[in-house]
Amino acid sequence: MAVIDDAVASPSANGAVDPASVQGVLPDQRFSSFDRIRHLRRLAAGCLVAADLLMLSLAMLLAYVLRQSVPGLGHAGDLSENVAVGSWILLAAWLAAISLFGGYSARLLTSGPEIFRNVLHASLAAAGITGTAMYLMGIELSRAYFVVFFLVGPVLLLLNRYIGRLIINRSRTRGHFRQAVVAVGTLPHISGIASTLQRETWLGYEITGVIVPPGDATSCLDCPYPILGDETDLLELVRRERPAVLLFTAGSAASAEEFRRTAWQLEDLAIDVIVVPALTEVASDRVRMRPVAGLPLVHMDLPRATASLKWSKRLFDIVASAGLLLVLSPLLLVIALSVKLTDGGPIIFRQQRVGRGGEPFEFLKFRSMVTDAEERLKRMLAEGGQDRGNDVMFKMADDPRITPAGWFLRRYSLDELPQLWNVLRGDMSLVGPRPALPNEVDAYDDDARRRLTVRPGITGLWQVSGRSDLSWNETVRLDLYYVDNWSFTQDMQILLRTVRAVLAPSGAY
């Protein structure tokens, strides 16, 4: 059995459930049943073993070449003979360790961190096992060769899994390898999970039918999913539908004893069973499973808004912003000249924004609009401006107020570079929620105001997950996820994703 954690909770682009996409569709017509999934996983594991063997052979070759060519180490005349004798030990032990540590689990391949950790742990174990075995067998392998091999090998093994994960996730996003899911629970709980699964298409899950508690089947006149029956006939319905995944939501009416008996009877079906606890928008590193006396207790850390204000984040902001301002100074000069030569207006656009705790600050950008942009905006709103982006933020694609130079700056987010000074000054952070306008803050509800508990950022989950194409609810959801689940690792991931978002600037206007 599995428990959904960050796979369901982690944010990305928005999406809505399309009832028409699941009504009346049999699992074996569009989606993989558990029989086919089992074969696909075996195939994926076999391909992974073959790819690992190839990569380890390449690592062995690189280690050999480097050992023989590095000046100062001399030429090891017996290296070829020792490698020929010891290679089968190295390869067999490493592949066996990966298998024992779960590095060939196709189910974990798409989860990322877990399978990466398994491979690293297996690599450490293989290094210890092979080193000991060769010492006991009297095989005198070069220490330099051994070190290089076990430094290069893990990198190539992780690359294998990254590529495999990328291929599978992109295939699922494009509609391939979809898995039929039968959800068990009340319709409100199922709808919440379904919207997340619909949004996170890379998971490859799609609900094709639901099993509800007794009595609920007749209480819904316009259900978005086919109701297969109630929980009293669960086993019969699962055997009939043969889905790849049976998903129990928090609204499932089964008792602990009934659930255990159901699991016993599902054992021979080799079906994936997923239990979704009543937790959403919680990162995996805030959740720990600890079985106690047979109870699967889920321990959850409290939100981390205050942790994002600690000195380490601020120190990183100061050092990074100062360094970037210095390195990018030639580019900043070129952009400033281009803005000035466009119409002779001011280079920097200054605007009041709301920072941490609701405190206003002067927000800096390279000017990308005409000098009377604010007056034109008032006229546009009075005339019923269209394509406003969402209910709170004004965002217009093909905004007529944008200058030719401003269009290029906005497309690649170059107009945001002066905010590095805001970061250095302490008004903003490199990563955080989008800095809001005062009139936007006036429209906030209580949930949205939580965005103000941390410093706003130049980039954030909002920017790397769709930017202006997102609805207001999606924007708030992403920002609140960031605030509640802050970590330095997440900041680094967002900064790396920002580079990709800037180079492929969809939603930038």
Side-chain angles (χ1 to χ4, degrees):
M1 292 189 187
V3 177
I4 283 189
D5 42 31
D6 60 328
V8 170
S10 59
S12 71
N14 64 318
V17 177
D18 181 11
S21 68
V22 293
Q23 284 280 16
V25 180
L26 294 177
D28 58 350
Q29 291 178 331
R30 288 184 53 209
F31 310 108
S32 298
S33 66
F34 60 75
D35 292 324
R36 188 181 175 203
I37 287 296
R38 183 167 50 190
H39 295 309
L40 288 174
R41 285 178 177 172
R42 289 173 179 170
L43 178 62
C47 292
L48 207 52
V49 171
D52 282 354
L53 188 58
L54 177 63
M55 288 299 190
L56 291 179
S57 300
L58 177 60
M60 195 172 290
L61 177 62
L62 289 173
Y64 179 87
V65 172
L66 288 174
R67 169 59 186 84
Q68 298 291 59
S69 60
V70 173
L73 292 179
H75 189 277
D78 59 347
L79 183 60
S80 299
E81 179 182 349
N82 289 335
V83 168
V85 175
S87 60
W88 67 272
I89 299 177
L90 294 170
L91 295 177
W94 206 335
L95 293 177
I98 294 173
S99 179
L100 290 173
F101 278 82
Y104 292 121
S105 172
R107 183 178 61 83
L108 297 179
L109 184 58
T110 56
S111 66
E114 187 174 355
I115 199 168
F116 293 158
R117 285 194 298 269
N118 291 349
V119 170
L120 290 176
H121 293 162
S123 299
L124 289 174
I129 293 171
T130 54
T132 303
M134 288 185 173
Y135 173 77
L136 294 176
M137 297 173 65
I139 301 175
E140 297 180 356
L141 194 63
S142 166
R143 285 173 293 181
Y145 171 88
F146 187 86
V147 170
V148 172
F149 178 59
F150 277 99
L151 286 178
V152 175
V155 176
L156 297 179
L157 294 175
L158 293 178
L159 180 63
N160 266 348
R161 278 144 189 82
Y162 176 78
I163 294 173
R165 179 188 182 191
L166 201 63
I167 292 173
I168 293 175
N169 289 350
R170 287 190 176 181
S171 297
R172 287 174 171 177
T173 301
R174 294 171 182 172
H176 305 295
F177 308 124
R178 306 289 291 172
Q179 299 180 55
V181 177
V182 168
V184 183
T186 60
L187 290 173
H189 283 97
I190 292 174
S191 296
I193 298 300
S195 62
T196 301
L197 297 182
Q198 181 73 13
R199 182 177 66 242
E200 311 290 347
T201 53
W202 58 273
L203 287 169
Y205 297 137
E206 190 154 347
I207 295 178
T208 57
V210 300
I211 299 174
V212 296
D216 282 14
T218 58
S219 63
C220 180
L221 300 177
D222 187 23
C223 297
Y225 306 102
I227 296 180
L228 306 176
D230 60 48
E231 293 183 36
T232 57
D233 300 320
L234 188 146
L235 291 172
E236 179 184 343
L237 294 171
V238 170
R239 288 192 176 97
R240 187 189 73 191
E241 297 296 322
R242 300 178 67 80
V245 178
L246 183 62
L247 185 148
F248 289 88
T249 71
S252 173
S255 67
E257 291 76 14
E258 291 173 347
F259 185 82
R260 181 175 58 180
R261 296 188 191 103
T262 300
W264 290 343
Q265 293 173 298
L266 291 172
E267 183 178 3
D268 294 336
L269 297 181
I271 189 174
D272 278 351
V273 176
I274 296 177
V275 180
V276 184
L279 300 173
T280 58
E281 307 299 344
V282 181
S284 60
D285 59 349
R286 284 179 58 203
V287 179
R288 296 182 304 278
M289 175 72 76
R290 184 186 176 192
V292 176
L295 297 176
L297 302 182
V298 178
H299 295 255
M300 187 186 76
D301 292 342
L302 293 176
R304 298 172 177 168
T306 55
S308 67
L309 303 175
K310 60 185 183 180
W311 66 268
S312 57
K313 179 176 171 67
R314 179 64 189 139
L315 179 62
F316 176 78
D317 284 339
I318 293 173
V319 173
S321 60
L324 287 171
L325 283 170
L326 182 63
V327 172
L328 297 176
S329 54
L331 176 61
L332 297 175
L333 179 60
V334 171
I335 294 174
L337 288 173
S338 67
V339 173
K340 190 66 176 179
L341 293 175
T342 298
D343 55 13
I347 295 173
I348 298 296
F349 173 71
R350 304 172 187 272
Q351 188 179 51
Q352 189 180 71
R353 295 288 179 105
V354 180
R356 181 169 68 92
E359 293 294 324
F361 70 95
E362 189 178 57
F363 178 78
L364 306 176
K365 293 180 68 172
F366 280 123
R367 185 174 58 86
S368 59
M369 291 188 174
V370 294
T371 54
D372 61 340
E374 295 298 321
E375 289 72 18
R376 292 194 188 187
L377 174 60
K378 293 177 183 178
R379 291 198 299 269
M380 291 165 62
L381 293 177
E383 295 169 0
Q386 298 177 352
D387 195 14
R388 293 187 54 195
N390 61 52
D391 297 334
V392 177
M393 297 186 297
F394 182 90
K395 287 287 183 179
M396 175 180 283
D398 300 323
D399 194 323
R401 301 173 298 158
I402 299 176
T403 65
W407 178 88
F408 180 84
L409 295 179
R410 283 178 168 237
R411 182 169 180 80
Y412 294 100
S413 300
L414 297 175
D415 60 323
E416 312 283 353
L417 291 179
Q419 291 160 40
L420 291 170
W421 180 252
N422 284 122
V423 174
L424 188 61
R425 200 166 57 183
D427 301 324
M428 297 174 61
S429 176
L430 286 177
V431 182
R434 174 188 172 273
L437 292 164
N439 65 303
E440 294 173 355
V441 174
D442 292 338
Y444 279 4
D445 57 17
D446 290 340
D447 288 348
R449 285 189 177 276
R450 183 162 173 77
R451 301 167 80 236
L452 305 178
T453 58
V454 302
R455 288 187 183 90
I458 295 180
T459 186
L461 282 175
W462 174 77
Q463 277 202 317
V464 300
S465 303
R467 303 165 86 173
S468 301
D469 291 334
L470 298 180
S471 67
W472 172 244
N473 287 337
E474 282 296 309
T475 301
V476 172
R477 184 184 69 84
L478 292 171
D479 283 342
L480 293 185
Y481 181 91
Y482 173 81
V483 171
D484 290 343
N485 300 285
W486 177 85
S487 69
F488 189 76
T489 301
Q490 182 181 214
D491 276 3
M492 295 300 100
Q493 291 173 342
I494 291 173
L495 288 173
L496 291 175
R497 290 175 63 188
T498 299
V499 176
R500 184 174 62 182
V502 168
L503 295 178
S506 60
Y509 51 81

